[in-house]
Amino acid sequence: MADRDDTAAAGDLGPVTTLATPIRLDFEFTPGVAQSRFLRGLERGRFIGQRCPKCGMVYVPSRGSCPTDGVPTTEDVELANVGTVTTYCVVNVPFAGQSIEIPYICAQVLLDGANISFMGLIQEIPADQIRMGMRVEAVWVDPDRLTPSLASVRYFRPNGEPDADYESFKEYL
Amino acid sequence: MPESEALHASHRLEYPYARSVGPVIGAFLTGLRDGRLLGVRGSGGSVIVPPTEYDPDTGDDTGEVVEVGPGGVVESWAWVPDPLPKHPSDRPFAWALIRLDGADTALLHAVDSGGPDRLATGDRVTVRFRPAAERIGSMADIEAFVPEGGAA
C-alpha cells in the first residue's frame, strides 16, 4: 500500500507521481546445528568455532563440515575475545537505512585460535588510523541484552597490544 | 546431536521501492485520491479502465481522460472465504471484474457483498471509497465495491 505523501497530508494536493510499492519476503531461517552452537555461544558472550578432525583448521562460525576435507566438524573450540585485523574497508558512502555514522571501518578479524576471519565493525579509533595487523578485542552488549545473534557483538576496538607481524596472518588475506 | 539444538528464527526482507507512475496511471491515481474513477479513450473510441498509456489493440497513444462509474456491472467473480493478510479486506469478500458505467473494459477489485449467496454475475455494484483524509493515490483508496442499493 502506498505511503502518504507529506504534501498531500498538508492539503496541497498536486498530481500523484509516485507510488510506494514495498517488496517484502517473510521467511523462516534455520541456521543448522553447527551455526546454532556459534549463535548460542554469542548469547553467552563467547565465540565458538569447530575444528576439522583431519586438517586441524578451526572455523568460526562453522558450517558443520570442513570445506577442504569434506568431513564433519564435531569438536567445538572456544576462541579468544581478541584477534587481528587482516584487511579492512572504510565506509564513506551514505545509504538508506544506515545506522552507523560514517566514516566507519568494516574489517576482517582473525580471532586468536581461528583459521578463518570474519567481518566486524571497528570503533573507538579514527577511521584513518586503522591498519592491517592491528590487535582488537570484541565489545559485547550488556549481559542482559545478549541474544543468539551477531548483534550481541557491538564492535571490535583496539586493545593496545603491538600490531601482529604480517607473517602471522598473511595466509588469511 | 539432537535436531532440537538447531535454532530457528523468522526473518523479513523488505525493499521500500517507489515507482514513478507516469502521466496516465498518475491521472488515474490522482482521481482515486480525489474520489473519482477515471479511464482513457483508446484510439478506436473505447474507454479503458484502469487506463493504459497505449491502446492494447492498436498500440497507439491513448487519448482523453474520461470519468466513469461510480457504478458498474460484475462480469465475473471468485469468493475469498479466508482472506490473507495482504488482501484488501479482513472479512470474506469477492475478487471481481467490474465493468464500470461508461467503460469498455473491466477493473479488478474487491466486492463486499456479505456472502457468496449475495453476489451474482451481472449484479450492479458501486464504489465505496475510503474517507478522503485516508486516500493517498492508490488502488487501496477504493475500499471495495458494494451491491448497488446498499445490500451489504
Side-chain angles (χ1 to χ4, degrees):
Chain A
M1 185 181 295
D3 290 319
R4 175 172 293 279
D5 185 302
D6 286 340
T7 55
D12 177 22
L13 301 179
V16 175
T17 58
T18 60
L19 184 66
T21 56
I23 291 178
R24 179 183 303 158
L25 177 66
D26 291 304
F27 61 101
E28 304 297 316
F29 178 64
T30 298
V33 171
Q35 278 203 87
S36 293
R37 288 189 170 189
F38 170 74
L39 292 167
R40 287 211 167 87
L42 296 177
E43 195 172 23
R44 294 181 285 115
R46 301 277 187 272
F47 294 112
I48 305 296
Q50 288 193 319
R51 190 189 317 276
C52 171
K54 199 166 173 186
C55 69
M57 291 284 189
V58 173
Y59 301 106
V60 59
S62 172
R63 309 289 180 188
S65 64
C66 175
T68 303
D69 298 305
V71 297
T73 49
T74 52
E75 182 195 347
D76 290 358
V77 179
E78 183 174 329
L79 285 315
N81 198 52
V82 298
T84 300
V85 171
T86 58
T87 64
Y88 61 88
C89 164
V90 177
V91 178
N92 287 292
V93 181
F95 54 87
Q98 198 166 47
S99 57
I100 307 161
E101 191 180 334
I102 56 172
Y104 64 86
I105 306 156
C106 194
Q108 287 296 129
V109 176
L110 180 66
L111 293 172
D112 290 2
N115 295 101
I116 193 166
S117 62
F118 72 91
M119 202 189 305
L121 174 70
I122 310 290
Q123 299 268 269
E124 297 191 31
I125 178 178
D128 60 359
Q129 290 181 26
I130 186 71
R131 54 194 182 266
M132 293 168 72
M134 179 176 279
R135 297 282 290 161
V136 292
E137 65 185 3
V139 178
W140 299 78
V141 298
D142 292 336
D144 61 338
R145 298 189 59 199
L146 287 167
T147 59
S149 152
L150 271 172
S152 291
V153 183
R154 290 179 62 203
Y155 53 80
F156 290 85
R157 67 181 173 199
N159 71 346
E161 287 178 35
D163 285 5
D165 183 39
Y166 177 71
E167 294 295 317
S168 70
F169 62 85
K170 69 174 185 180
E171 299 297 324
Y172 301 101
L173 298 175
Chain B
M1 200 173 291
E3 198 61 26
S4 60
E5 273 197 47
L7 288 162
H8 183 264
S10 298
H11 286 251
R12 169 171 291 176
L13 185 65
E14 189 172 40
Y15 297 99
Y17 286 113
R19 294 181 58 191
S20 179
V21 293
V24 175
I25 301 293
F28 175 69
L29 296 176
T30 303
L32 293 180
R33 190 194 60 197
D34 296 342
R36 299 161 64 206
L37 297 167
L38 302 177
V40 286
R41 197 172 299 281
S43 56
S46 63
V47 174
I48 302 160
V49 184
T52 56
E53 294 192 18
Y54 303 99
D55 186 310
D57 292 328
T58 64
D60 294 335
D61 288 354
T62 48
E64 62 172 329
V65 172
V66 180
E67 182 157 0
V68 295
V73 176
V74 172
E75 290 197 332
S76 67
W77 55 282
W79 192 251
V80 181
D82 298 304
L84 299 171
K86 287 175 117 176
H87 278 158
S89 169
D90 57 9
R91 59 174 177 153
F93 70 98
W95 282 122
L97 283 168
I98 300 152
R99 186 162 45 79
L100 292 162
D101 296 342
D104 295 291
T105 63
L107 172 84
L108 178 70
H109 215 290
V111 174
D112 180 11
S113 70
D117 55 342
R118 299 167 76 171
L119 186 62
T121 298
D123 277 1
R124 285 198 56 81
V125 291
T126 192
V127 68
R128 183 173 74 205
F129 279 106
R130 294 185 185 283
E134 296 177 15
R135 295 200 297 263
I136 56 176
S138 152
M139 278 304 270
D141 290 351
I142 300 174
E143 200 164 66
F145 285 80
V146 293
E148 220 167 58

